[in-house]
Amino acid sequence: MLAYASVRLLEDVGTARPLLLQAGAVCLLATCGWVGSRTYRRMKAELVWAEAVAASSLGQADRAMEKYRRAYSVLWADRYFLYNYAAELHRHGQQDEALRVAGACRRRWADYDLELLLAELYEQRGEDVRAEAHYRRASLMCPNRFVPLHRLVLLLDRTGRADEAVRLARQLVEKPVKVPSFQVDWIKKEMNNYIVKQCE
């Protein structure tokens, strides 16, 4: 009786093994199909993104925006795509949509250029407090950069905070230059002229 039970158990194991192998093969095929499908969709979306960039550089704004919208359905979580799309929307005057996309990007990424873009978008909407916060954050991210503080001086001056603007302009004029450039020279010169004008 014991011998019969052992033989029966071996037969059950023998028939179960092919079933397990078949089930594993089906699962593997399904997983490969799913991964392959997602990879293919991503590659197609990235090609559409490249077409959008090309269309934008040729001045074909409508075509570029249509391509960005198509790519967005797949690349909605890609931080580089979101930044690029937000900047493009901003360039084409679609500020509300640019702000929405830039906000989605910011939830995934902390970046100097993104902070500058958000500051500019908020400033254009007249939300100066938010714009100031983003300019300051950009400056903290890259303390050696001149652009955020320069734009902040202009914002402070425009909003009637000339004393703060002058103090910040002096900091910019005295700030050591790590990488000399025409832009930095121009900012320093403009800030120096601003201080002179305010102190007259």
Side-chain angles (χ1 to χ4, degrees):
M1 191 70 167
L2 186 60
Y4 173 75
S6 298
V7 169
R8 181 80 180 151
L9 184 62
L10 286 172
E11 285 175 4
D12 288 347
V13 169
T15 56
R17 184 171 291 146
L19 286 174
L20 285 172
L21 288 173
Q22 286 175 354
V26 167
C27 287
L28 184 62
L29 277 172
T31 302
C32 287
W34 180 77
V35 169
S37 169
R38 283 183 63 95
T39 303
Y40 176 73
R41 284 184 70 220
R42 169 114 191 161
M43 286 171 59
K44 266 184 75 173
E46 288 191 7
L47 287 172
V48 171
W49 179 12
E51 290 171 9
V53 171
S56 178
S57 68
L58 294 171
Q60 301 168 349
D62 292 340
R63 185 167 179 264
M65 288 295 99
E66 185 267 322
K67 297 280 185 189
Y68 272 110
R69 280 189 288 276
R70 272 184 52 205
Y72 181 78
S73 64
V74 176
L75 300 175
W76 58 269
D78 183 298
R79 60 191 183 182
Y80 301 109
F81 171 79
L82 290 174
Y83 172 77
N84 199 259
Y85 186 22
E88 200 64 33
L89 286 163
H90 174 47
R91 190 174 8 262
H92 294 295
Q94 299 178 38
Q95 309 310 336
D96 291 341
E97 185 65 9
L99 194 55
R100 186 186 69 74
V101 174
C105 182
R106 192 168 187 272
R107 286 191 287 277
R108 292 168 174 80
W109 195 27
D111 177 69
Y112 167 82
D113 291 316
L114 180 59
E115 291 298 327
L116 282 181
L117 176 62
L118 283 162
E120 205 170 302
L121 286 166
Y122 279 120
E123 192 170 1
Q124 287 179 353
R125 288 168 58 103
E127 297 184 42
D128 295 327
V129 173
R130 284 184 164 186
E132 180 181 343
H134 286 289
Y135 283 135
R136 290 189 188 281
R137 198 168 290 124
S139 178
L140 289 171
M141 285 177 164
C142 296
N144 62 324
R145 299 282 180 93
F146 282 71
V147 172
L149 295 178
H150 171 248
R151 292 188 185 170
L152 188 54
V153 168
L154 300 179
L155 185 147
L156 292 170
D157 180 67
R158 185 177 53 75
T159 55
R161 295 157 66 189
D163 290 346
E164 284 179 71
V166 168
R167 279 196 301 275
L168 195 53
R170 282 198 177 104
Q171 287 177 27
L172 274 169
V173 169
E174 295 164 8
K175 191 177 179 73
V177 179
K178 288 196 175 180
V179 181
S181 72
F182 171 78
Q183 185 184 36
V184 169
D185 291 343
W186 179 81
I187 287 172
K188 279 183 169 278
K189 185 177 179 182
E190 188 189 13
M191 292 296 93
N192 197 50
N193 291 341
Y194 174 76
I195 293 163
V196 169
K197 185 181 172 185
Q198 290 297 317
C199 295
E200 283 177 349

